[in-house]
Amino acid sequence: MRIEEHPILGKPEERKVISFIYDGTPLTGFEGEPIAMALEAAGIMIHRYTKKYHKPRGVFCAIGRCTDCVMVVDGLPNVRTCITPLKEGMVIQTQYGVSAQEEST
């Protein structure tokens, strides 16, 4: 699910492929790309579920302003995956709800 060649931008430069863990499953992505991009390339669109209604959420704004893409990254909750670079060995988990001041649905 990645663009191999763009008609205007051409081919992307070579990047280092690294490993990370998503909900216990080993995956690979490109070092430094946003976590959300690596997950989407692997077909993973749901990043969290709302606390109150258990509704699925994924990338919405893609600029770090909303909380739809937050996940638990290396044990730290509420990490905005759309703006957080992927690093070797990261452990990424689906999140249930967000901090009280950010959760409204």
Side-chain angles (χ1 to χ4, degrees):
M1 286 187 55
R2 291 185 184 273
I3 296 173
E4 299 295 327
E5 186 169 348
H6 190 276
I8 296 170
L9 303 175
K11 289 186 176 187
E13 62 184 57
E14 292 291 322
R15 296 177 282 175
K16 182 180 177 185
V17 176
I18 60 170
S19 299
F20 66 99
I21 305 294
Y22 163 73
D23 283 348
T25 302
L27 296 174
T28 60
F30 293 121
E31 184 175 48
E33 74 179 335
I35 294 169
M37 183 183 290
L39 292 173
E40 185 171 331
I44 298 160
M45 306 302 278
I46 297 171
H47 295 210
R48 74 174 183 98
Y49 290 90
T50 61
K51 183 177 181 180
K52 189 172 182 179
Y53 297 113
H54 197 68
K55 292 183 178 180
R57 295 290 186 254
V59 175
F60 179 72
C61 75
I63 59 171
R65 301 291 295 172
C66 73
T67 59
D68 281 354
C69 73
V70 297
M71 298 181 86
V72 179
V73 177
D74 291 335
L76 182 65
N78 301 323
V79 175
R80 286 174 166 84
T81 60
C82 67
I83 59 170
T84 303
L86 184 65
K87 296 178 186 170
E88 177 73 43
M90 279 184 153
V91 177
I92 301 162
Q93 298 169 285
T94 301
Q95 183 165 313
Y96 295 87
V98 292
S99 62
Q101 69 268 20
E102 296 174 347
E103 181 66 65
S104 62
T105 59

